[in-house]
């Protein structure tokens, strides 16, 4: 069960508070033995990792998730003109037989004559934590819908270990099929009238970026017309592998994504038979998807030097370029994993880069390759 609180008001001020809670938990709980006088760290245990993550086992094998980052309700109407939300939002149930839903966002004042790009968003949380309604991701989507502007479809996907990968990929793909049906006019939500279904983009942060990458590859098996996925955006994607990269070794005890915690998360998220060199975790290790990589649309990838996972992103970019995929790679010196959730300057820089990528991506199927390191 989630011990997260739902708030009815516009949560602008919760953006910083929520991340502060997360950072506090990471710093205060993950290092109970950060060696006051010891020169060598003690080995970390699963119990240490569970403390960091704010999770514990329930008797039935499910997780009790205890991190108190608020969840917020959607804001479907403008109730206070003197204190308007950044964007309007509404929760849409995808089927009466399941709990699957998406949170739909539009600008408060959408353009009357211009269609907006449609962005399908997958939130972070290492496959184990959080929701589309968690305040930090809700505000992220508010900013995108408002600033770009764009129509945003934020996907509520099932979490591990109750639902291990590829359940999250399945949920993302189902959300794309829902968008396709919207484009076909099947049960069309009025807000989707603002969307340009020929300019659809998949965007994910951390684990969400992993989901975006694998889901984009899976979409290649289907006819999605009349929608057209023009690009995918990978913000600090959550990948791994059995052999450590130089950035992982350099930042092995990183306060935001320490490697021992990542290892536990992957054990919780991957199928029982898989290790960290499975393609779900390590996309360059092989597997069934490699033959499809060259068919991917244009890719935006972003990494930070202070993120232990940054080498994984660089390796993926190199694989994409080798396969002739058009890539824009934003590699920032300094920074850390999730910096845009804490630093407003970094957040705005990311918004600007993503907006430029989306609005500069043409309607042709082939773009000039570009990589910036």
């Amino acid at each position: 069960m989630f011990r997260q609180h739902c708030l009815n008001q516009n949560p602008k001020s919760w953006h910083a508070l929520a991340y502060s809670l997360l950072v506090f938990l990471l710093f205060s709980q993950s290092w109970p033995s950060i060696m006051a006088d010891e020169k060598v760290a003690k080995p970390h245990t699963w119990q240490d990792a569970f403390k960091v993550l704010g999770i514990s086992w329930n008797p039935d094998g499910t997780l009790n998730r205890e991190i108190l980052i608020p969840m917020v309700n959607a804001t479907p109407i403008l109730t206070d003109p003197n204190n308007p939300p950044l964007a309007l939002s509404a929760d849409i149930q995808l089927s009466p037989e399941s709990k699957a839903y998406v949170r739909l966002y539009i600008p408060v004042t959408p353009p009357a004559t211009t269609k907006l790009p449609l962005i399908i968003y997958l939130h972070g949380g290492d496959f184990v934590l959080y929701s589309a309604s968690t305040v930090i991701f809700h505000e992220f989507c508010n900013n995108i819908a408002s600033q770009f502007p764009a129509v945003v479809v934020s996907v509520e996907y099932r979490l591990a270990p109750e639902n291990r990968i590829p359940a999250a990929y399945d949920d993302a793909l189902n959300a794309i099929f829902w968008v396709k049906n919207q484009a076909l006019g099947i049960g069309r939500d009025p807000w989707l009238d603002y969307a340009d279904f020929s300019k659809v983009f998949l965007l994910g942060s951390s684990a969400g970026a992993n989901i975006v990458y694998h889901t984009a590859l899976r979409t290649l098996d289907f006819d999605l017309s009349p929608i057209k996925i023009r690009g995918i955006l990978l913000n600090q994607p959550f990948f791994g592998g059995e052999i450590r990269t130089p950035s992982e070794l350099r930042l092995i005890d990183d306060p935001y994504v320490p490697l021992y915690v990542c290892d536990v998360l992957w054990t919780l998220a991957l199928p029982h038979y898989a290790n960290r060199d499975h393609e779900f975790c390590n996309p360059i290790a092989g597997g069934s998807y490699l033959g499809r990589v060259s068919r991917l649309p244009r890719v935006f990838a972003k990494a930070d030097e202070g993120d232990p996972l940054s080498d994984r992103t660089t390796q993926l970019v190199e694989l994409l370029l080798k396969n002739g995929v058009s890539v824009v790679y934003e590699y920032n010196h300094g920074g850390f994993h999730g910096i845009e959730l804490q630093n407003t300057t970094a957040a705005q820089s990311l918004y600007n880069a993503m907006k430029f990528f989306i609005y500069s991506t043409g309607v042709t199927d082939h773009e000039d390759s570009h990589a910036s390191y």
Side-chain angles (χ1 to χ4, degrees), residues 315-332:
Q315 290 174 349
L316 181 63
V317 166
E318 291 170 348
L319 173 69
L320 294 170
L321 291 172
K322 182 179 178 181
N323 281 271
V325 179
S326 174
V327 181
V328 175
Y329 187 22
E330 296 283 342
Y331 183 89
N332 297 323

Side-chain angles (χ1 to χ4, degrees), residues 249-328:
L249 292 172
R250 174 170 53 86
L251 298 164
I252 194 167
D253 286 335
D254 179 72
Y256 299 98
V257 280
L259 267 292
Y260 79 96
V261 173
C262 288
D263 292 349
V264 169
L265 287 164
W266 280 118
T267 303
L268 294 173
L270 287 168
H272 289 290
Y273 60 81
N275 65 17
R276 294 194 308 274
D277 276 337
H278 190 279
E279 61 189 309
F280 293 165
C281 178
N282 187 354
I284 67 169
S288 61
Y289 288 155
L290 284 183
R292 309 181 198 180
V293 171
S294 63
R295 296 164 55 202
L296 285 172
R298 197 176 185 216
V299 175
F300 171 92
K302 186 255 191 183
D304 287 83
E305 181 184 27
D307 180 358
L309 309 181
S310 59
D311 283 351
R312 300 285 176 188
T313 306
T314 300
Q315 290 174 349
L316 181 63
V317 166
E318 291 170 348
L319 173 69
L320 294 170
L321 291 172
K322 182 179 178 181
N323 281 271
V325 179
S326 174
V327 181
V328 175

Side-chain angles (χ1 to χ4, degrees), residues 14 81 301 366:
W14 283 105
H366 299 285

